[in-house]
Protein backbone atom coordinates (compact mmCIF):
# COMPACT_ATOMS: atom_id res chain seq x y z
CA UNK A 1 0.00 0.00 0.00
CA UNK A 2 1.22 3.46 -0.92
CA UNK A 3 2.17 5.57 2.12
CA UNK A 4 0.35 8.89 1.77
CA UNK A 5 0.68 10.94 4.97
CA UNK A 6 -1.59 13.96 5.45
CA UNK A 7 -1.00 16.42 8.31
CA UNK A 8 -4.12 17.48 10.23
CA UNK A 9 -2.99 20.68 11.90
CA UNK A 10 -5.09 21.20 15.03
CA UNK A 11 -6.70 17.82 14.37
CA UNK A 12 -7.35 16.62 17.94
CA UNK A 13 -11.07 17.47 17.87
CA UNK A 14 -14.30 15.77 16.77
CA UNK A 15 -13.94 17.03 13.24
CA UNK A 16 -10.37 15.69 13.18
CA UNK A 17 -11.63 12.31 14.41
CA UNK A 18 -14.21 11.99 11.64
CA UNK A 19 -11.79 13.31 9.02
CA UNK A 20 -9.09 10.86 10.18
CA UNK A 21 -11.50 7.96 9.73
CA UNK A 22 -12.54 9.08 6.25
CA UNK A 23 -9.02 9.87 5.03
CA UNK A 24 -7.69 6.56 6.39
CA UNK A 25 -10.48 4.80 4.49
CA UNK A 26 -9.17 6.45 1.29
CA UNK A 27 -5.66 5.14 1.90
CA UNK A 28 -4.12 8.23 3.52
CA UNK A 29 -2.27 8.21 6.83
CA UNK A 30 -3.76 11.04 8.88
CA UNK A 31 -1.23 12.60 11.24
CA UNK A 32 -2.87 14.72 13.91
CA UNK A 33 -0.55 17.54 15.00
CA UNK A 34 -1.95 19.10 18.17
CA UNK A 35 -1.19 19.90 21.81
CA UNK A 36 -4.42 18.35 23.16
CA UNK A 37 -2.95 15.00 24.16
CA UNK A 38 -6.05 13.27 25.56
CA UNK A 39 -8.15 14.13 22.51
CA UNK A 40 -5.41 12.97 20.14
CA UNK A 41 -4.88 9.67 21.91
CA UNK A 42 -8.64 9.01 21.98
CA UNK A 43 -8.84 9.56 18.22
CA UNK A 44 -5.92 7.19 17.56
CA UNK A 45 -7.50 4.57 19.85
CA UNK A 46 -10.70 4.84 17.79
CA UNK A 47 -8.91 4.97 14.40
CA UNK A 48 -5.68 2.89 14.54
CA UNK A 49 -4.66 3.94 11.02
CA UNK A 50 -4.23 7.53 12.28
CA UNK A 51 -1.15 8.88 14.05
CA UNK A 52 -0.92 11.53 16.76
CA UNK A 53 2.06 13.77 17.42
CA UNK A 54 2.03 16.23 20.26
CA UNK A 55 3.34 19.69 19.44
CA UNK A 56 2.77 23.20 20.68
CA UNK A 57 2.01 25.72 17.93
CA UNK A 58 5.54 27.08 17.78
CA UNK A 59 7.70 27.10 14.66
CA UNK A 60 10.55 25.01 16.06
CA UNK A 61 8.40 22.37 17.76
CA UNK A 62 5.91 22.01 14.90
CA UNK A 63 8.69 21.75 12.31
CA UNK A 64 10.56 19.19 14.43
CA UNK A 65 7.45 17.00 14.68
CA UNK A 66 6.58 17.33 10.98
CA UNK A 67 10.17 16.54 9.95
CA UNK A 68 10.15 13.46 12.20
CA UNK A 69 6.92 12.27 10.57
CA UNK A 70 8.40 12.76 7.11
CA UNK A 71 11.50 10.75 8.03
CA UNK A 72 9.28 7.90 9.23
CA UNK A 73 6.58 7.93 6.53
CA UNK A 74 7.86 9.98 3.62
CA UNK A 75 6.90 13.43 2.38
CA UNK A 76 3.46 14.79 3.16
CA UNK A 77 0.83 14.62 0.46
CA UNK A 78 -0.76 17.74 1.90
CA UNK A 79 -2.37 19.18 4.97
CA UNK A 80 -5.73 20.11 6.43
CA UNK A 81 -5.82 23.19 8.63
CA UNK A 82 -8.64 22.71 11.15
CA UNK A 83 -10.26 25.76 12.71
CA UNK A 84 -8.42 28.09 15.06
CA UNK A 85 -5.98 25.52 16.47
CA UNK A 86 -4.78 24.55 13.01
CA UNK A 87 -4.39 28.18 12.03
CA UNK A 88 -2.05 28.68 15.00
CA UNK A 89 0.20 25.88 13.69
CA UNK A 90 0.13 27.27 10.16
CA UNK A 91 0.97 30.76 11.43
CA UNK A 92 3.90 29.36 13.40
CA UNK A 93 5.34 27.33 10.52
CA UNK A 94 4.34 29.25 7.38
CA UNK A 95 3.53 28.02 3.89
CA UNK A 96 7.12 27.78 2.63
CA UNK A 97 8.29 25.54 5.48
CA UNK A 98 5.19 23.35 5.17
CA UNK A 99 5.65 23.02 1.41
CA UNK A 100 9.28 21.96 1.89
CA UNK A 101 8.02 18.83 3.69
CA UNK A 102 5.60 17.82 0.93
CA UNK A 103 5.56 15.96 -2.36
CA UNK A 104 5.86 18.03 -5.52
CA UNK A 105 2.13 18.80 -5.91
CA UNK A 106 0.48 18.55 -2.49
CA UNK A 107 -3.10 19.50 -1.69
CA UNK A 108 -4.18 21.84 1.09
CA UNK A 109 -7.60 22.50 2.62
CA UNK A 110 -8.42 24.95 5.38
CA UNK A 111 -11.60 24.59 7.40
CA UNK A 112 -12.79 27.67 9.21
CA UNK A 113 -15.95 29.08 10.67
CA UNK A 114 -17.57 32.13 9.13
CA UNK A 115 -15.97 34.78 11.30
CA UNK A 116 -15.18 38.11 9.64
CA UNK A 117 -12.66 38.94 12.38
CA UNK A 118 -10.83 35.61 12.26
CA UNK A 119 -7.53 35.02 10.49
CA UNK A 120 -7.67 34.18 6.81
CA UNK A 121 -4.50 32.46 5.65
CA UNK A 122 -3.93 33.01 1.99
CA UNK A 123 -1.24 30.92 0.41
CA UNK A 124 1.50 32.26 -1.79
CA UNK A 125 0.05 31.11 -5.12
CA UNK A 126 3.54 30.79 -6.59
CA UNK A 127 4.26 28.06 -4.02
CA UNK A 128 0.88 26.52 -3.16
CA UNK A 129 -0.77 25.23 -6.32
CA UNK A 130 -3.70 23.19 -4.99
CA UNK A 131 -5.47 25.02 -2.20
CA UNK A 132 -9.17 25.11 -1.27
CA UNK A 133 -11.04 26.61 1.64
CA UNK A 134 -14.18 25.31 3.38
CA UNK A 135 -16.04 27.94 5.37
CA UNK A 136 -19.00 26.91 7.48
CA UNK A 137 -21.71 28.83 9.25
CA UNK A 138 -23.29 27.21 12.27
CA UNK A 139 -25.75 28.31 14.91
CA UNK A 140 -23.60 26.73 17.63
CA UNK A 141 -20.12 25.34 17.93
CA UNK A 142 -19.15 22.39 15.78
CA UNK A 143 -17.57 20.56 18.70
CA UNK A 144 -20.54 20.40 21.05
CA UNK A 145 -20.24 17.96 23.94
CA UNK A 146 -23.54 16.24 23.16
CA UNK A 147 -22.07 14.56 20.07
CA UNK A 148 -20.02 11.41 20.52
CA UNK A 149 -16.61 11.20 18.87
CA UNK A 150 -17.72 9.81 15.49
CA UNK A 151 -21.44 10.65 15.35
CA UNK A 152 -21.45 14.41 14.80
CA UNK A 153 -23.58 15.07 11.71
CA UNK A 154 -21.98 18.49 11.18
CA UNK A 155 -18.54 16.92 11.30
CA UNK A 156 -19.58 14.32 8.73
CA UNK A 157 -20.66 17.03 6.26
CA UNK A 158 -17.41 18.98 6.63
CA UNK A 159 -15.32 15.82 6.63
CA UNK A 160 -16.91 14.41 3.46
CA UNK A 161 -16.26 17.60 1.53
CA UNK A 162 -12.71 17.86 2.85
CA UNK A 163 -12.01 14.19 2.10
CA UNK A 164 -13.17 14.72 -1.48
CA UNK A 165 -11.00 17.82 -1.87
CA UNK A 166 -7.94 15.87 -0.64
CA UNK A 167 -8.53 13.02 -3.10
CA UNK A 168 -7.28 12.54 -6.65
CA UNK A 169 -10.87 12.90 -7.87
CA UNK A 170 -10.67 16.62 -7.18
CA UNK A 171 -7.24 17.37 -8.59
CA UNK A 172 -8.62 19.96 -11.01
CA UNK A 173 -10.40 21.89 -8.24
CA UNK A 174 -8.11 24.66 -7.08
CA UNK A 175 -8.32 27.98 -5.27
CA UNK A 176 -12.02 27.62 -4.47
CA UNK A 177 -14.00 28.67 -1.43
CA UNK A 178 -16.85 26.39 -0.37
CA UNK A 179 -19.30 28.11 1.96
CA UNK A 180 -21.79 25.83 3.66
CA UNK A 181 -24.39 26.25 6.39
CA UNK A 182 -24.67 23.44 8.90
Amino acid sequence: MDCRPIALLGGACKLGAVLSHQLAGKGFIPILIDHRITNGLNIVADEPRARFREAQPSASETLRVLEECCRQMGPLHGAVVLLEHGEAYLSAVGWRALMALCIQEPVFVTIQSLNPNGPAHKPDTEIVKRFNRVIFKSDHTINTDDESLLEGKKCEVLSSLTGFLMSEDSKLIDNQIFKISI
Side-chain angles (χ1 to χ4, degrees):
M1 185 172 150
D2 188 23
C3 186
R4 300 184 300 160
I6 295 283
L8 301 182
L9 302 175
C13 60
K14 289 181 184 169
L15 178 56
V18 176
L19 188 54
S20 291
H21 183 70
Q22 288 189 354
L23 288 173
K26 292 180 182 223
F28 291 103
I29 300 173
I31 306 169
L32 295 94
I33 309 294
D34 208 307
H35 64 277
R36 298 171 286 182
I37 299 170
T38 303
N39 291 358
L41 293 175
N42 285 340
I43 292 169
V44 172
D46 218 28
E47 177 49 71
R49 297 172 290 185
R51 307 288 187 266
F52 172 71
R53 297 293 187 266
E54 178 194 3
Q56 295 298 321
S58 69
S60 61
E61 192 169 340
T62 304
L63 278 174
R64 179 187 57 77
V65 167
L66 287 170
E67 287 169 351
E68 177 186 303
C69 292
C70 289
R71 280 192 301 276
Q72 293 172 355
M73 293 176 258
L76 297 173
H77 280 240
V80 179
V81 180
L82 287 109
L83 308 169
E84 67 276 356
H85 290 286
E87 290 170 356
Y89 288 94
L90 180 58
S91 291
V93 173
W95 285 107
R96 288 188 186 275
L98 186 58
M99 286 291 296
L101 299 168
C102 293
I103 62 171
Q104 188 169 355
E105 292 187 19
V107 58
F108 297 96
V109 175
T110 62
I111 301 173
Q112 58 194 105
S113 64
L114 186 61
N115 179 358
N117 299 324
H121 292 283
K122 295 184 179 176
D124 179 345
T125 54
E126 294 299 315
I127 298 171
V128 180
K129 300 295 184 197
R130 194 166 154 210
F131 172 79
N132 291 291
R133 182 176 289 135
V134 176
I135 301 174
F136 67 90
K137 179 182 176 188
S138 180
D139 291 335
H140 53 286
T141 180
I142 194 162
N143 290 313
T144 56
D145 290 333
D146 62 339
E147 297 175 344
S148 67
L149 194 60
L150 291 176
E151 293 177 348
K153 294 297 179 193
K154 292 183 279 185
C155 291
E156 288 176 14
V157 170
L158 291 172
S159 180
S160 294
L161 177 56
T162 303
F164 170 72
L165 291 172
M166 296 302 291
S167 72
E168 285 297 311
D169 294 336
S170 68
K171 66 182 174 183
L172 298 178
I173 299 174
D174 180 40
N175 201 22
Q176 298 297 312
I177 298 174
F178 298 86
K179 293 184 180 181
I180 57 176
S181 294
I182 51 176

Short mmCIF file of all heavy atoms in Angstrom, two decimals, residues 80-104:
data_model
loop_
_atom_site.label_atom_id
_atom_site.label_comp_id
_atom_site.label_asym_id
_atom_site.label_seq_id
_atom_site.Cartn_x
_atom_site.Cartn_y
_atom_site.Cartn_z
N VAL A 80 -4.43 19.50 6.14
CA VAL A 80 -5.73 20.11 6.43
C VAL A 80 -5.52 20.99 7.65
O VAL A 80 -4.97 20.54 8.66
CB VAL A 80 -6.81 19.04 6.73
CG1 VAL A 80 -8.15 19.71 7.05
CG2 VAL A 80 -6.96 18.09 5.55
N VAL A 81 -5.93 22.23 7.54
CA VAL A 81 -5.82 23.19 8.63
C VAL A 81 -7.21 23.29 9.26
O VAL A 81 -8.14 23.78 8.64
CB VAL A 81 -5.34 24.57 8.13
CG1 VAL A 81 -5.23 25.55 9.28
CG2 VAL A 81 -4.01 24.43 7.39
N LEU A 82 -7.33 22.79 10.50
CA LEU A 82 -8.64 22.71 11.15
C LEU A 82 -8.84 23.86 12.13
O LEU A 82 -8.16 23.97 13.15
CB LEU A 82 -8.78 21.39 11.92
CG LEU A 82 -8.97 20.19 11.01
CD1 LEU A 82 -7.75 19.33 11.02
CD2 LEU A 82 -10.18 19.42 11.43
N LEU A 83 -9.78 24.71 11.81
CA LEU A 83 -10.26 25.76 12.71
C LEU A 83 -9.13 26.56 13.34
O LEU A 83 -8.05 26.67 12.79
CB LEU A 83 -11.21 25.15 13.74
CG LEU A 83 -12.34 24.30 13.15
CD1 LEU A 83 -13.06 23.52 14.23
CD2 LEU A 83 -13.30 25.16 12.38
N GLU A 84 -9.40 27.15 14.47
CA GLU A 84 -8.42 28.09 15.06
C GLU A 84 -7.14 27.41 15.54
O GLU A 84 -6.06 27.98 15.46
CB GLU A 84 -9.05 28.89 16.20
CG GLU A 84 -9.43 28.09 17.42
CD GLU A 84 -10.78 27.40 17.33
OE1 GLU A 84 -11.51 27.60 16.33
OE2 GLU A 84 -11.12 26.66 18.27
N HIS A 85 -7.21 26.19 16.02
CA HIS A 85 -5.98 25.52 16.47
C HIS A 85 -5.05 25.25 15.30
O HIS A 85 -3.84 25.45 15.39
CB HIS A 85 -6.30 24.22 17.20
CG HIS A 85 -6.94 24.43 18.54
ND1 HIS A 85 -6.23 24.86 19.63
CD2 HIS A 85 -8.22 24.29 18.95
CE1 HIS A 85 -7.04 24.98 20.66
NE2 HIS A 85 -8.26 24.63 20.27
N GLY A 86 -5.59 24.80 14.19
CA GLY A 86 -4.78 24.55 13.01
C GLY A 86 -4.17 25.81 12.45
O GLY A 86 -3.03 25.82 11.96
N GLU A 87 -4.92 26.90 12.52
CA GLU A 87 -4.39 28.18 12.03
C GLU A 87 -3.21 28.64 12.86
O GLU A 87 -2.27 29.26 12.34
CB GLU A 87 -5.51 29.23 12.02
CG GLU A 87 -6.54 28.94 10.96
CD GLU A 87 -7.78 29.82 11.06
OE1 GLU A 87 -7.89 30.62 12.01
OE2 GLU A 87 -8.64 29.70 10.17
N ALA A 88 -3.19 28.33 14.15
CA ALA A 88 -2.05 28.68 15.00
C ALA A 88 -0.80 27.93 14.55
O ALA A 88 0.30 28.50 14.51
CB ALA A 88 -2.36 28.38 16.47
N TYR A 89 -0.95 26.65 14.17
CA TYR A 89 0.20 25.88 13.69
C TYR A 89 0.68 26.41 12.34
O TYR A 89 1.87 26.53 12.11
CB TYR A 89 -0.17 24.39 13.57
CG TYR A 89 -0.30 23.72 14.90
CD1 TYR A 89 -1.53 23.61 15.54
CD2 TYR A 89 0.83 23.22 15.56
CE1 TYR A 89 -1.65 23.02 16.78
CE2 TYR A 89 0.72 22.63 16.80
CZ TYR A 89 -0.53 22.52 17.41
OH TYR A 89 -0.63 21.95 18.65
N LEU A 90 -0.25 26.74 11.46
CA LEU A 90 0.13 27.27 10.16
C LEU A 90 0.83 28.62 10.31
O LEU A 90 1.83 28.88 9.64
CB LEU A 90 -1.09 27.39 9.24
CG LEU A 90 -0.82 27.93 7.85
CD1 LEU A 90 0.20 27.06 7.11
CD2 LEU A 90 -2.12 28.02 7.06
N SER A 91 0.33 29.47 11.19
CA SER A 91 0.97 30.76 11.43
C SER A 91 2.39 30.58 11.95
O SER A 91 3.29 31.33 11.59
CB SER A 91 0.17 31.60 12.43
OG SER A 91 -1.05 32.00 11.88
N ALA A 92 2.57 29.60 12.81
CA ALA A 92 3.90 29.36 13.40
C ALA A 92 4.89 28.86 12.35
O ALA A 92 6.05 29.28 12.33
CB ALA A 92 3.78 28.36 14.55
N VAL A 93 4.44 27.97 11.47
CA VAL A 93 5.34 27.33 10.52
C VAL A 93 5.46 28.11 9.22
O VAL A 93 6.55 28.29 8.70
CB VAL A 93 4.86 25.88 10.22
CG1 VAL A 93 5.68 25.25 9.13
CG2 VAL A 93 4.91 25.05 11.48
N GLY A 94 4.34 28.55 8.67
CA GLY A 94 4.34 29.25 7.38
C GLY A 94 4.23 28.29 6.21
O GLY A 94 4.52 27.10 6.31
N TRP A 95 3.77 28.84 5.08
CA TRP A 95 3.53 28.02 3.89
C TRP A 95 4.82 27.45 3.32
O TRP A 95 4.87 26.29 2.91
CB TRP A 95 2.81 28.84 2.81
CG TRP A 95 1.37 29.06 3.10
CD1 TRP A 95 0.78 30.22 3.50
CD2 TRP A 95 0.33 28.09 3.04
NE1 TRP A 95 -0.56 30.03 3.69
CE2 TRP A 95 -0.87 28.74 3.41
CE3 TRP A 95 0.28 26.73 2.73
CZ2 TRP A 95 -2.09 28.08 3.46
CZ3 TRP A 95 -0.94 26.08 2.77
CH2 TRP A 95 -2.11 26.76 3.13
N ARG A 96 5.87 28.25 3.25
CA ARG A 96 7.12 27.78 2.63
C ARG A 96 7.70 26.58 3.37
O ARG A 96 8.11 25.60 2.75
CB ARG A 96 8.13 28.90 2.56
CG ARG A 96 7.79 29.93 1.53
CD ARG A 96 8.93 30.94 1.36
NE ARG A 96 8.55 32.00 0.46
CZ ARG A 96 8.64 31.93 -0.86
NH1 ARG A 96 9.12 30.86 -1.43
NH2 ARG A 96 8.26 32.94 -1.61
N ALA A 97 7.75 26.66 4.70
CA ALA A 97 8.29 25.54 5.48
C ALA A 97 7.42 24.30 5.35
O ALA A 97 7.93 23.18 5.24
CB ALA A 97 8.42 25.95 6.95
N LEU A 98 6.10 24.49 5.32
CA LEU A 98 5.19 23.35 5.17
C LEU A 98 5.36 22.72 3.79
O LEU A 98 5.41 21.49 3.66
CB LEU A 98 3.74 23.80 5.40
CG LEU A 98 2.67 22.73 5.41
CD1 LEU A 98 2.94 21.68 6.48
CD2 LEU A 98 1.30 23.36 5.63
N MET A 99 5.48 23.54 2.76
CA MET A 99 5.65 23.02 1.41
C MET A 99 6.95 22.24 1.26
O MET A 99 7.02 21.27 0.48
CB MET A 99 5.63 24.16 0.40
CG MET A 99 4.25 24.75 0.15
SD MET A 99 3.18 23.62 -0.73
CE MET A 99 4.02 23.46 -2.28
N ALA A 100 7.99 22.64 1.99
CA ALA A 100 9.28 21.96 1.89
C ALA A 100 9.21 20.51 2.38
O ALA A 100 10.06 19.70 2.03
CB ALA A 100 10.33 22.73 2.69
N LEU A 101 8.17 20.19 3.16
CA LEU A 101 8.02 18.83 3.69
C LEU A 101 7.07 17.97 2.86
O LEU A 101 6.74 16.86 3.25
CB LEU A 101 7.49 18.92 5.13
CG LEU A 101 8.39 19.66 6.12
CD1 LEU A 101 7.65 19.93 7.41
CD2 LEU A 101 9.66 18.85 6.36
N CYS A 102 6.65 18.49 1.73
CA CYS A 102 5.60 17.82 0.93
C CYS A 102 6.12 17.29 -0.39
O CYS A 102 7.20 17.65 -0.85
CB CYS A 102 4.47 18.82 0.64
SG CYS A 102 3.56 19.33 2.11
N ILE A 103 5.30 16.43 -1.00
CA ILE A 103 5.56 15.96 -2.36
C ILE A 103 5.49 17.15 -3.30
O ILE A 103 5.13 18.26 -2.90
CB ILE A 103 4.55 14.86 -2.78
CG1 ILE A 103 3.12 15.41 -2.77
CG2 ILE A 103 4.70 13.62 -1.91
CD1 ILE A 103 2.09 14.47 -3.35
N GLN A 104 5.77 16.93 -4.57
CA GLN A 104 5.86 18.03 -5.52
C GLN A 104 4.55 18.80 -5.68
O GLN A 104 4.55 20.01 -5.77
CB GLN A 104 6.34 17.53 -6.87
CG GLN A 104 6.64 18.67 -7.82
CD GLN A 104 7.37 18.20 -9.06
OE1 GLN A 104 7.74 17.05 -9.18
NE2 GLN A 104 7.58 19.12 -9.99
#
